Amino acid sequence: MNTKFIFITGGVVSSLGKGLGSAALGALLQARGYKVRLCKLDPYLNVDPGTMSPFQHGEVFVTDDGAETDLDLGHYERFTGNPACKSDNTTTGRIYTNVLQRERRGDYLGATVQVIPHVTNEIKDFIREKDGSADFVLCEIGGTVGDIESLPFIEALRQFGNEMGRERALFIHVTLLPYIPAAGELKTKPTQHSVKELMGMGIRPRILLCRADREIDKSDLQKIALFCNIEENKVIPALDASSIYEVPLTYHAVGLDTQVLDAFGIKDAPKPNLEEWERIMRRIKNPEGEVTIAIVGKYTNLNDSYKSLNEALCHGGIANKVKVNIKFIEATLFDESAEDIAEELHGVNGIIVPGGFGERGAEGKIKAAQYAREKKVPYFGICFGLQMAVLEAARHLASITDANSSEFGNEGSPLIGLMTEWTKDNVTEKRTDDTDLGGTMRLGAFPAHLKKGSKVAEMYKENKISERHRHRFEVNINYKDELEKVGFVMSGTSPDGTLPEICERNDHPWFIGVQYHPELKSKPFDPHPLFISFIEAAIAQGRLV
Ligand code: GLN
């Protein structure tokens, strides 16, 4: 396979939607029948985003093979349906770790180890190993051109582009045309400067994707083409879309995929089949109703912290033909008072307590679970949300008043305990209290067996599932009988029966907690069964109130 490489850089400002743009272009090429693969280079020094705060960096996306990666990999997976994997994401931290390990091993045979060629070679190897794995490899470079930290990446790509030639390597630069109200116009100068900066580093982009919040005049596009030395029809306007799932359609309408193929000299490409995307957009634009779901979490002031969850809810809405409104509730505000959270939750059609870490906010989340249980509002506990629902049931129904999680210290009854041992791919992994924080959780896809006749088995329509995990603590199986006595049924466990993976209430319309992250596998054209069912229950709840 003569793989072609597309590199996507960003200029002017960050948050231009490079990740989405890359995912949408991937989807368009795929819709033409090509095999695509998407990957991302992140210039920061963290070895992976696993230890980064969701406040700063948004969600950590977990792959089947257990990597903690950048949330853009979630977009890639949702738009193409191809499961992301460990080798789809690297960082400066990872690259340097590899280089330094090699240096210690003596692999460089006494050479002075330098950014060029050793670091740049390591980066090129990361890209080159994808050669042959797809028709098109799309590689996004995080950050903004000109950042000090991304320089080795840009240099490596320059070399790689040179080695491959124009037939096999293409650079797309995403920029912004800011609107200046006083002048009443969009400005092209930052784009010109950004392209100049890229050219100064030896990279000539052949396609420009110009983000703007309004229509761009043809004369502006022509001006950019002239100043930036780019063909006129390859300066492409990329306006804001009404939904992220509209982006493949809007980018196709302005010719992005056509120009990419043209840049590679491909003349006989099949037409794209965009029916699925059109169907999804018809559903999104014409909902037959709406529901409101509360997300009671701790990282509620940054939307990206719960990216996959927001999207999975949207997918559940697509499947049920409703619009899903999300009401974020900051759990930490309610650690003290139960009345206030009841006020906040009043009238919502469903409650989610999502993944989370640490004691702050835990009491607020426990109160949200209690409210959902008592008021019979659909409740979906995801990872930490399951753990908090277990503490709630243990304290209030099973009379284990000191029920606690060892995540919060060693006091009380450890209903939620530290996992010290589990099996992954037939290897036993062991952890203790002193283990490093990075990359040491129970990570990635694990199988679970569902109880016959349980609600979840009905939703999944099978008894054996595989879902992605990211946690250190686990519901303590020793309390199984006490929990089941008060209606909290363990309806899914690890195949050996030792790790509870799913609990559901048998006296409630919809009360399910899962130890894994189902939101990571949901896709617009293949919504996750638990989210389909949860939104269905929320609709039914809406009819009651
Ligand atoms: N903090 C909890 C644990 O480590 C839950 C993690 C999560 O919600 N992803 O088990």
Side-chain angles (χ1 to χ4, degrees), residues 45-47 91-115 117-123:
L45 280 167
N46 304 64
V47 174
T91 68
T92 298
R94 163 61 53 210
I95 296 283
Y96 272 84
T97 304
N98 294 351
V99 169
L100 294 176
Q101 275 168 355
R102 272 180 219 261
E103 188 274 337
R104 292 290 81 182
R105 275 201 312 258
D107 289 1
Y108 297 119
L109 305 175
T112 309
V113 180
Q114 295 178 299
V115 174
H118 302 100
V119 170
T120 47
N121 280 351
E122 190 69 32
I123 298 170

Side-chain angles (χ1 to χ4, degrees), residues 446-452 454 456-458 460-467 491-495 502 516 521:
F446 287 88
H449 290 180
L450 309 185
K451 195 171 176 164
K452 276 210 183 75
S454 61
V456 281
E458 208 173 286
Y460 276 100
K461 298 194 178 57
E462 48 198 334
N463 293 326
K464 287 185 183 165
I465 59 163
S466 167
E467 292 279 7
S491 50
T493 59
S494 54
I502 310 177
Y516 48 85
K521 292 207 343 187

Side-chain angles (χ1 to χ4, degrees), residues 20 28 43 99 126 129 145 155 158 184 196 244-245 262 319 334 372 453 471 474 483 497 511:
L20 262 179
L28 286 173
V99 169
F126 170 83
E129 75 186 14
V145 164
E155 167 59 15
R158 180 194 68 75
K196 197 169 149 194
I244 59 168
Y245 300 118
D262 185 68
F334 303 103
H471 60 120
E474 177 78 37
L483 287 168
F511 195 107

Side-chain angles (χ1 to χ4, degrees), residues 24-95:
L25 176 58
L28 286 173
L29 293 169
Q30 198 179 48
R32 288 179 183 262
Y34 293 111
K35 185 162 188 234
V36 299
R37 176 151 181 205
L38 286 124
C39 57
K40 183 160 190 211
L41 302 170
D42 276 310
Y44 46 73
L45 280 167
N46 304 64
V47 174
D48 63 42
T51 50
M52 289 163 96
S53 160
F55 283 122
Q56 269 190 30
H57 194 68
E59 152 190 292
V60 174
F61 190 79
V62 180
T63 59
D64 277 336
D65 57 359
E68 297 176 287
T69 69
D70 187 82
L71 59 80
D72 278 323
L73 272 78
H75 289 312
Y76 304 164
E77 187 167 329
R78 283 188 284 276
F79 276 70
T80 63
N82 301 339
C85 60
K86 205 175 238 157
S87 57
D88 290 338
N89 190 200
T90 197
T91 68
T92 298
R94 163 61 53 210
I95 296 283

